[in-house]
Amino acid sequence: MVTMETIALPPEAAADWTVPQNWGHYTADEHAVWDTLFARQTAMLPGRASEAFLRGVDVLRLSKPGIPDFEELSERLMAATGWRVVAVPGLVPDAVFFDHLANRTFVAGNFIRRPDQLDYLEEPDVFHDVFGHVPMLADPVFADYMAAYGRGGQRAGSLGALKRLARLYWYTVEFGLVEEAGALRIYGSGIVSSRGESIFALDDPSPNRIGFDLARVMRTEYRIDDYQQSYFVIPSFEELLRVTVETDFGPLYAGLEGQPDYQVSDIAPGDRVFTNGTQDYAKAQALKA
């Protein structure tokens, strides 16, 4: 994801920040963590996750047990949408991230969380990156959206708009909801890879659920350390792609300059509100702090 941080190139990484996955170096315990997480999430996501995500999970059902081999995974993904998966040692600079996306390459961490971190991990690991993101990259429409986002990121840096664009990624790719068959479904990687947030995002009365609007999203703060207080709902992946491709982002960024940001729990004038959340979860967490 967009980091907006200065990161030094690790000595083991190539110039494009990729490293070998070294699939053969994973231990049996590390593969077991993947299998535990995979079984848990795939059991609970039918009826919650979008049909595009559920269809895409099949690309992860490879010939080897445990953590997917990126070479084998990339072969299947290339056949579906022209994307491939490469390993990186951790977060990468924004310019590198955008360049990979624009060229239909998804960068994934090659480490996996410990058994005592099944429910929460601050830094994205291979389960978040691969289980969370790759199924949607098997969907042709969303795959095109991700590539378009990468091209937009290459331009955003020169326009001083990375903060705005990071919010779009956060509220779609990471924590997006979609209207589907008369109900809300999850597709964002941060939700589908989290047992707790898969339930919270759809069932809990606490968060707002608001209709997607590009300018509104770009004015909205987000939090990285807990469940979201607002989720944005797209009407379809086709509409998300259309808005992204047809919008001239330069004038949009210019028009947002000087406008105040919305806080994570705000309902704004003109919002299409699916759920006006109670914010009870956020209030309870604040009392614990």
Side-chain angles (χ1 to χ4, degrees), residues 2-82:
V2 187
T3 65
M4 293 178 287
E5 298 176 3
T6 300
I7 309 172
L9 178 69
E12 71 273 19
D16 64 356
W17 285 72
T18 59
V19 296
Q21 184 193 13
N22 290 326
W23 189 90
H25 286 77
Y26 291 119
T27 67
D29 287 344
E30 289 173 325
H31 285 304
V33 168
W34 171 279
D35 289 338
T36 297
L37 291 167
F38 186 90
R40 188 171 76 173
Q41 289 304 107
T42 53
M44 72 176 301
L45 289 179
R48 293 183 175 277
S50 72
E51 288 299 319
F53 182 88
L54 295 175
R55 288 194 302 269
V57 167
D58 283 340
V59 305
L60 302 178
R61 302 184 196 276
L62 305 177
S63 62
K64 302 173 184 177
I67 300 166
D69 183 324
F70 288 1
E71 290 187 9
E72 188 178 355
L73 179 58
S74 291
E75 288 180 6
R76 298 190 67 181
L77 202 55
M78 280 287 292
T81 60

Side-chain angles (χ1 to χ4, degrees), residues 170-171 200 205-210 216 219-223 227-232 261-269 271 273 275-283 286:
W170 188 262
Y171 282 118
F200 181 85
S206 185
N208 302 322
R209 298 172 182 93
I210 303 167
R216 166 70 159 98
R219 290 179 60 186
T220 307
E221 299 277 6
Y222 61 83
R223 60 181 308 167
Y227 295 156
Q228 301 306 298
Q229 292 174 248
S230 292
Y231 298 94
F232 288 91
D261 284 339
Y262 293 112
Q263 298 306 302
V264 293
S265 61
D266 287 349
I267 296 290
D271 280 346
V273 179
T275 305
N276 190 338
T278 64
Q279 302 299 318
D280 286 346
Y281 175 82
K283 294 171 186 174

Side-chain angles (χ1 to χ4, degrees), residues 54-204:
L54 295 175
R55 288 194 302 269
V57 167
D58 283 340
V59 305
L60 302 178
R61 302 184 196 276
L62 305 177
S63 62
K64 302 173 184 177
I67 300 166
D69 183 324
F70 288 1
E71 290 187 9
E72 188 178 355
L73 179 58
S74 291
E75 288 180 6
R76 298 190 67 181
L77 202 55
M78 280 287 292
T81 60
W83 278 76
R84 62 192 181 98
V85 180
V86 296
V88 292
L91 294 174
V92 302
D94 296 327
V96 174
F97 179 70
F98 293 135
D99 185 64
H100 279 297
L101 291 185
N103 288 284
R104 302 179 90 87
T105 302
F106 188 76
V107 296
N110 61 354
F111 74 97
I112 194 161
R113 67 195 72 183
R114 302 188 309 266
D116 63 336
Q117 298 173 313
L118 292 184
D119 291 321
Y120 179 75
L121 188 70
E122 184 171 343
E123 185 178 357
D125 71 341
V126 69
F127 186 77
H128 168 88
D129 283 343
V130 174
F131 182 88
H133 285 281
V134 169
M136 289 302 303
L137 292 176
D139 179 78
V141 176
F142 195 80
D144 286 349
Y145 168 68
M146 286 287 278
Y149 182 90
R151 295 191 298 271
Q154 291 173 322
R155 184 185 180 200
S158 64
L159 298 174
L162 286 181
K163 182 178 179 180
R164 303 286 188 195
L165 199 65
R167 293 169 174 176
L168 176 60
Y169 191 91
W170 188 262
Y171 282 118
T172 58
V173 178
E174 290 288 351
F175 290 97
L177 303 182
V178 60
E179 289 184 83
E180 197 170 87
L184 301 188
R185 295 289 183 261
I186 58 180
Y187 72 90
S189 61
I191 312 176
V192 296
S193 61
S194 165
R195 180 180 182 276
E197 197 143 7
S198 293
I199 298 170
F200 181 85
L202 293 181
D203 298 349
D204 201 285

